[in-house]
């Protein structure tokens, strides 16, 4: 079977080679080529990320496109620049009741657990296909199976459709886990950005249930739409996620009149007591950074065991930059290691 790279045209292969080059250049050399930004907290952006952001600032903005066209553009970029991680022993496409599609990624053998993963994309963009490299990397590093879900997207399916899909995916995972040789009590819920919102809300909805997530893993999550924190202002022009793009996502996702204090929109404002332990990864140059940090503070205040992974040199969306940035790859592997440690200490 031809690899994804060999399926690209010559022009695409050349574009990919140029795109991933900064991640291969020693940081000391990169610092001579690009100005490295420093945020208000004194954190320096990783030099290869600084070069990537300079290029991204000159590229087209998907928020000027119709959602269907924007999905084509961002999915094509994911194929072009995504990490080349070979398929695992098991790559099983599944149908979740209700018509959703999901893929189970498994390295085979005895699994340490199951990670129910929700992709990012502002509830408008993203797909399990585009996130396959992330799912494979996490599965390899944790020894757990990863069930990656395609939930319905806005504006065709606005709030709260994605949350209904997340619950359907959870019930499917619980039902199917024994068939895969996994104890349903060893299911982790995880997601990045909008997917982190889905994972956080799901944990609140499942509180007190007979079976609930063993761990919540939130990567630069969207947790509070009710207020703009300092990081929103500081990084309003970040090419990784601009204020304009955030408005574009919100306008497509939330119907007019939606109460933004609803905990399904802003889970930071919900009742966090009694939730599963958490791993929260935040990026130093991300407009959503401060809401992620506020969420971890609230979790700790109510006694929820919480680990914060502060990736000071990175930007929003870094799990998708692992082929372009050694710093992003290391940060993603830290998330996987935190999951592995949690599963290794979880009751059997």
């Amino acid at each position: 079977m031809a690899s994804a790279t060999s399926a690209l045209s010559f022009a695409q292969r050349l574009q990919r080679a140029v795109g991933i080059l900064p991640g291969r250049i020693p940081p000391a050399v990169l610092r001579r080529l690009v100005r490295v930004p420093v945020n208000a907290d004194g954190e320096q952006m990783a030099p290869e990320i600084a070069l990537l952001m300079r290029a991204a600032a000159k590229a087209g903005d998907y928020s000027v496109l119709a959602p269907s066209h924007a999905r084509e553009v961002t999915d094509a970029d994911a194929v072009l620049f995504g990490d080349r991680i070979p398929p695992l022993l098991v790559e099983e496409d599944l149908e979740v009741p209700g018509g959703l599609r999901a893929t189970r990624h498994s390295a085979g053998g005895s699994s340490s657990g199951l990670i129910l993963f929700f992709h990012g994309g502002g509830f408008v963009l993203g797909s399990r296909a585009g996130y396959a490299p992330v799912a494979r990397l996490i599965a390899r590093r944790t020894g757990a199976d990863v069930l990656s879900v395609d939930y319905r997207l806005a504006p065709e399916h606005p709030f709260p459709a994605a949350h209904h899909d997340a619950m359907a995916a959870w019930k499917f995972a619980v039902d199917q886990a024994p068939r895969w040789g996994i104890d349903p009590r060893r299911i982790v819920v995880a997601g990045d950005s909008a997917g982190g919102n889905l994972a956080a809300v799901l944990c609140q909805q499942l509180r007190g249930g007979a079976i609930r997530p063993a761990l919540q893993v939130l990567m630069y999550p969207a947790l509070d739409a009710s207020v703009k924190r300092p990081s929103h202002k500081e990084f309003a022009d970040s090419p990784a996620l601009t204020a304009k793009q955030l408005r574009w996502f919100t306008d497509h996702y939330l119907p007019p009149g939606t109460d933004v204090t609803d905990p399904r929109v802003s889970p930071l404002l919900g009742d966090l007591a009694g939730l599963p332990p958490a791993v929260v990864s935040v990026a130093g140059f991300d407009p959503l950074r401060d809401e992620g940090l506020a969420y971890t503070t609230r979790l700790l205040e109510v006694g929820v065991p919480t680990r914060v992974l502060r990736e000071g040199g990175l930007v929003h969306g870094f799990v998708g930059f692992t082929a372009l940035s050694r710093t992003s790859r290391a940060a993603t592997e830290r998330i996987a290691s935190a999951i592995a440690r949690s599963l290794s200490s979880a009751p059997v």
Side-chain angles (χ1 to χ4, degrees):
M1 179 181 296
S3 70
T5 303
S6 63
L8 299 175
S9 69
F10 173 78
Q12 288 173 318
R13 290 198 298 274
L14 180 61
Q15 187 179 0
R16 174 179 167 80
V18 172
I20 67 176
L21 180 61
R24 308 294 188 267
I25 299 174
V29 175
L30 280 175
R31 288 189 178 93
R32 300 192 193 102
L33 301 177
V34 62
R35 184 184 68 82
V36 177
V38 179
N39 66 20
D41 290 341
E43 295 167 321
Q44 290 190 350
M45 185 179 288
E48 77 275 16
I49 293 293
L51 195 59
L52 177 63
M53 290 299 98
R54 188 170 72 178
K58 299 175 182 177
D61 180 357
Y62 56 75
S63 68
V64 303
L65 306 174
S68 58
H69 189 188
R71 289 172 199 147
E72 293 175 1
V73 170
T74 54
D75 284 349
D77 284 346
V79 170
L80 186 59
F81 297 115
D83 223 339
R84 294 300 183 245
I85 299 177
L88 305 185
L89 183 64
V90 176
E91 299 270 330
E92 181 181 13
D93 287 334
L94 302 161
E95 183 171 343
V96 177
L100 306 180
R101 303 296 302 180
T103 299
R104 180 170 72 101
H105 304 269
S106 174
S110 179
S111 176
S112 63
L114 177 65
I115 301 166
L116 178 60
F117 182 81
F118 301 106
H119 66 75
F123 302 100
V124 178
L125 310 174
S127 68
R128 62 193 164 103
Y131 273 75
V134 179
R136 290 169 181 158
L137 187 156
I138 292 174
R140 285 186 183 278
R141 294 293 181 179
T142 61
D145 290 11
V146 174
L147 183 65
S148 182
V149 180
D150 267 339
Y151 53 89
R152 290 174 294 171
L153 299 176
E156 298 88 343
H157 304 283
F159 171 82
H163 292 288
H164 296 321
D165 294 349
M167 181 60 73
W170 166 260
K171 292 177 179 177
F172 177 77
V174 170
D175 289 343
Q176 294 299 307
R179 185 173 73 84
W180 300 328
I182 298 169
D183 186 336
R185 294 171 298 177
R186 298 177 65 80
I187 301 177
V188 174
V189 293
D192 79 311
S193 195
N197 174 286
L198 293 176
V201 171
L202 189 58
C203 287
Q204 294 184 25
Q205 293 174 330
L206 294 169
R207 184 194 351 255
I211 299 177
R212 66 174 198 156
L215 180 71
Q216 54 179 314
V217 180
L218 315 180
M219 310 166 199
Y220 42 86
L223 298 170
D224 188 3
S226 70
V227 65
K228 300 299 183 185
R229 290 179 165 80
S231 59
H232 285 87
K233 181 177 181 180
E234 183 176 0
F235 307 116
D237 296 324
S238 168
L241 181 65
T242 65
K244 178 175 177 287
Q245 289 165 348
L246 277 169
R247 288 192 298 272
W248 185 80
F249 286 132
T250 300
D251 290 346
H252 285 306
Y253 174 56
L254 296 180
T258 301
D259 179 7
V260 294
T261 67
D262 184 324
R264 295 171 298 171
V265 178
S266 301
L268 174 62
L269 305 182
D271 180 5
L272 307 189
L275 294 185
V279 173
V280 183
S281 182
V282 298
F285 292 79
D286 179 11
L288 304 189
R289 181 198 63 196
D290 289 354
E291 58 200 81
L293 293 174
Y295 186 75
T296 63
T297 298
R298 282 210 57 212
L299 286 174
L300 291 168
E301 287 173 347
V302 297
V304 175
T306 303
R307 182 178 180 190
V308 183
L309 300 175
R310 180 157 179 156
E311 305 296 349
L314 293 178
V315 295
H316 192 85
F318 67 74
V319 301
F321 302 153
T322 55
L324 310 174
S325 161
R326 58 172 62 87
T327 313
S328 296
R329 178 66 178 253
T332 306
E333 291 181 344
R334 275 189 285 275
I335 294 168
S337 295
I339 297 171
R341 281 194 292 273
S342 179
L343 286 174
S344 69
S345 61
V348 179

